[in-house]
Amino acid sequence: MNDFPPPELRVVLANGAVYHFTQGFTIGRHSTCALCVNDAVVSRRHAEVLQDGGKWWIRDLDSANGVFIDGQRIERAALSGAVRIQLGEAGPQLFFEAASPVTLPPAAQTPEHRAPVTAEAEPVSSNRPELERFKDHYFGKQLDPTAGEHTMMVRRAYAEVQKKQRLIYGLVIGLAGVLLIVVGSLAWYNHNQLVEQRKLAADIFYTMRTLEIDLIKLQVEAARQKSLQAKKQLDAVRARQKRLEQSYDRYVDSLDVYTKGMSAEKKLILRMARRFGECEINMPDGFVKAVSKYIKNWQSSRRLSRVIRRARRKGYIRKIVQDLTAEDLPPQLLYLAVQESNLDRRAVGPRTRFGIAKGMWQFIPATAEKYGLRLGPLKDEPVVDPLDDRYNFQKSTRAAAKYLRDIYTTDAQASGLLVIASYNWGERRVVKLIRTLPKNPRERNFWKLITTYRKEVPPQTYDYVLSIFSAAVIGENPHLFGFDFDDPLS
């Protein structure tokens, strides 16, 4: 047993804070932990770091979300050198750095520290010159002119063996080179094929989005004209869109986008991105992790459960979904009203330079009038006005669906997430950023916006979009995320 403690352990947090430890300690959310990590995914007492056998070890204290090293959940593991620890699969990361265990000099070692003595000894040094002379005589480059027939026979045999070995080595190296070329060519071909397939799949997806815009516009025109020709055009576009959807589904299957080992949460996030008009094949790195963080924000309160229950009780959800789908919009835009007003038709917003936003959909005066809503005499007062159509649930919901449809087919280019970003009127510069992108679904979508203008998009708009999106993800399977209500859209 080693009675000597391990050297100092250095711990670096993601925010750059550095801690030094010479004794065991606990990690967790509770203030009594020596290393306090205040994050919702971290348990009160999440893990323990201890000394054992001259080494540092980390042990999971039956935490809810586990301890991970290199993506693998562990119960107990040694900390040697530099190690990255993650608390929870998508939780905070800690960096541990420990020196190698203490090695004692031979004079200080007790019997149990000393290495065992082996029976094999080095050949006597006096024999080595004789061995070198023997090697030179039979196998050296210089031939002794006095060498006899036996020596010459040994030399010829050795030369023949070397020749065969060189031939064999040459063949092996040649075959290995050919094999590497074949494997490399195959890998290059497969990579190019994969890149090409992803490109074709994305082409199909954005063509579908373009057709969707045409479909909505044709539907509006067909309703206005009420002609047989307009109906035929509408049916033809729908049929083509259906064929493209089937083709895109086949590409998604062949590209193995939804892998067998993928978590149910990540699959829901990918599917929801598609429903909001974003190509899941082109999803930016880190988006899934960001959405998971906003899901945790919803899980930390009872707000979503209370809002959905009240809306069901008052019969709001069915009407909202009917009006959204009548405009060929994603019904998940219901959650926009959750974020705006908690689905409260009597909501009153703060006073702004654009006026006071009112009602479930928080229409400002100018937008309300544009979509046929009558303003009440108290439009400039932060109070509920029964004579204001913004407080009429039926009228304001129809107006909101038409307003969202117009954004969907113009600025947003069939991206539901850009619709949400555009609806956030408090950040007018977001709409200006969107309009700098080319006017087609491939180049104007939420992925392009956040990769091109991530620093320019205001934090409150980013929070607004991801809060609504994460609520929609939860709504697909509330019980998966620990909520006690059923899918409001089912």
Side-chain angles (χ1 to χ4, degrees):
M1 178 179 176
N2 194 339
D3 296 327
F4 293 87
E8 180 183 80
L9 181 66
R10 182 169 173 264
V11 184
V12 182
L13 303 189
N15 62 7
V18 181
Y19 296 84
H20 298 269
F21 295 95
T22 56
Q23 295 182 346
F25 58 95
T26 54
I27 305 171
R29 201 173 69 248
H30 199 272
S31 58
T32 59
C33 293
L35 195 58
C36 185
V37 182
N38 190 15
D39 192 289
V41 77
V42 178
S43 299
R44 290 164 63 83
R45 284 173 52 82
H46 199 104
E48 176 186 28
V49 177
L50 63 152
Q51 302 172 359
D52 187 9
K55 295 181 180 179
W56 288 100
W57 297 77
I58 186 166
R59 182 167 69 90
D60 189 356
L61 295 178
D62 295 327
S63 62
N65 296 308
V67 177
F68 292 79
I69 297 179
D70 295 330
Q72 298 295 321
R73 185 165 183 168
I74 58 98
E75 297 297 330
R76 175 184 165 102
L79 301 173
S80 178
V83 182
R84 183 182 67 180
I85 302 293
Q86 192 157 13
L87 306 179
E89 191 170 7
Q93 295 182 353
L94 312 175
F95 297 87
F96 289 70
E97 187 175 352
S100 300
V102 174
T103 302
L104 300 176
Q109 290 181 351
T110 59
E112 64 266 30
H113 292 130
R114 296 192 189 118
V117 178
T118 61
E120 185 180 357
E122 185 179 353
V124 179
S125 60
S126 60
N127 289 339
R128 297 206 57 85
E130 181 68 20
L131 179 61
E132 294 298 327
R133 189 191 67 77
F134 182 82
K135 287 164 57 180
D136 289 340
H137 180 71
Y138 284 102
F139 309 112
K141 292 181 180 180
Q142 297 297 328
L143 176 63
D144 185 353
T146 63
E149 184 180 351
H150 175 74
T151 300
M152 296 302 295
M153 189 179 296
V154 171
R155 278 180 165 274
R156 283 196 297 271
Y158 178 64
E160 190 173 337
V161 169
Q162 279 193 314
K163 183 179 179 180
K164 288 182 178 179
Q165 284 181 335
R166 281 195 295 268
L167 180 61
I168 292 170
Y169 291 157
L171 287 172
V172 170
I173 292 170
L175 287 172
V178 171
L179 185 61
L180 283 173
I181 292 171
V182 171
V183 171
S185 299
L186 186 61
W188 176 82
Y189 174 78
N190 288 337
H191 173 74
N192 279 2
Q193 285 291 98
L194 183 63
V195 170
E196 189 63 26
Q197 283 189 327
R198 292 179 73 90
K199 182 177 179 298
L200 287 171
D203 287 342
I204 291 172
F205 183 87
Y206 292 118
T207 302
M208 285 162 46
R209 296 282 76 83
T210 302
L211 278 177
E212 191 173 351
I213 296 170
D214 294 340
L215 188 64
I216 294 173
K217 290 179 178 177
L218 277 172
Q219 187 165 302
V220 173
E221 187 63 20
R224 187 181 66 81
Q225 291 184 2
K226 297 181 181 179
S227 68
L228 184 61
Q229 182 64 26
K231 185 179 182 303
K232 286 181 178 179
Q233 284 184 314
L234 193 62
D235 291 341
V237 172
R238 280 179 175 151
R240 187 186 173 202
Q241 188 183 41
K242 185 69 175 177
R243 290 193 299 271
L244 285 172
E245 285 177 356
Q246 292 170 347
S247 180
Y248 179 74
D249 287 337
R250 287 194 294 270
Y251 271 110
V252 168
D253 290 340
S254 66
L255 292 169
D256 205 19
V257 174
Y258 296 90
T259 59
K260 290 182 180 178
M262 185 182 292
S263 68
E265 178 178 321
K266 184 173 180 180
K267 287 180 181 178
L268 278 178
I269 292 172
L270 287 173
R271 291 194 180 102
M272 189 54 60
R274 180 174 172 179
R275 287 176 190 170
F276 271 102
E278 300 296 339
C279 185
E280 68 260 57
I281 293 173
N282 291 342
M283 182 178 286
D285 294 337
F287 183 75
V288 171
K289 187 175 181 179
V291 173
S292 298
K293 182 178 178 181
Y294 282 83
I295 288 173
K296 288 182 175 65
N297 291 343
W298 284 109
Q299 289 172 324
S300 66
S301 77
R302 303 293 300 168
R303 175 190 166 200
L304 188 58
S305 296
R306 288 196 299 267
V307 169
I308 297 300
R309 283 203 188 89
R310 185 179 69 244
R312 271 187 170 144
R313 191 169 61 249
K314 292 181 175 292
Y316 292 156
I317 295 176
R318 182 180 296 274
K319 167 64 176 171
I320 294 172
V321 170
Q322 284 176 346
D323 284 355
L324 291 173
T325 53
E327 302 295 344
D328 280 334
L329 294 171
Q332 287 79 14
L333 287 171
L334 158 81
Y335 295 98
L336 186 149
V338 171
Q339 184 69 13
E340 284 285 348
S341 68
N342 289 328
L343 290 175
D344 181 3
R345 69 180 184 84
R346 295 172 59 83
V348 179
R351 193 185 299 276
T352 71
R353 62 193 179 99
F354 304 109
I356 300 173
K358 293 188 176 184
M360 180 180 292
W361 296 94
Q362 288 291 280
F363 274 113
I364 59 171
T367 308
E369 288 187 309
K370 180 179 177 180
Y371 285 88
L373 297 179
R374 180 188 60 189
L375 301 179
L378 303 177
K379 65 180 186 300
D380 296 323
E381 299 298 325
V383 295
V384 176
D385 184 355
L387 299 179
D388 195 314
D389 283 346
R390 289 177 289 178
Y391 290 108
N392 184 308
F393 168 66
Q394 303 281 346
K395 291 181 179 180
S396 64
T397 299
R398 280 197 299 272
K402 293 182 184 301
Y403 175 40
L404 291 169
R405 177 202 66 200
D406 288 346
I407 301 175
Y408 195 80
T409 56
T410 55
D411 287 336
Q413 288 293 291
S415 164
L417 296 183
L418 282 189
V419 169
I420 296 171
S422 302
Y423 196 92
N424 191 12
W425 275 101
E427 303 298 338
R428 294 180 69 91
R429 57 185 170 140
V430 174
V431 177
K432 292 180 181 178
L433 292 175
I434 291 171
R435 288 175 179 171
T436 64
L437 300 172
K439 196 172 182 180
N440 64 77
R442 171 179 285 280
E443 301 298 330
R444 186 182 288 191
N445 53 67
F446 190 69
W447 300 157
K448 285 287 184 181
L449 179 69
I450 61 175
T451 53
T452 306
Y453 294 118
R454 180 63 188 94
K455 293 182 179 179
E456 288 83 357
V457 174
Q460 52 266 53
T461 296
Y462 187 78
D463 291 342
Y464 180 81
V465 173
L466 263 67
S467 293
I468 294 169
F469 181 82
S470 58
V473 172
I474 292 169
E476 288 294 291
N477 189 351
H479 300 289
L480 175 67
F481 300 100
F483 290 84
D484 55 358
F485 59 87
D486 295 326
D487 178 4
L489 305 181
S490 63

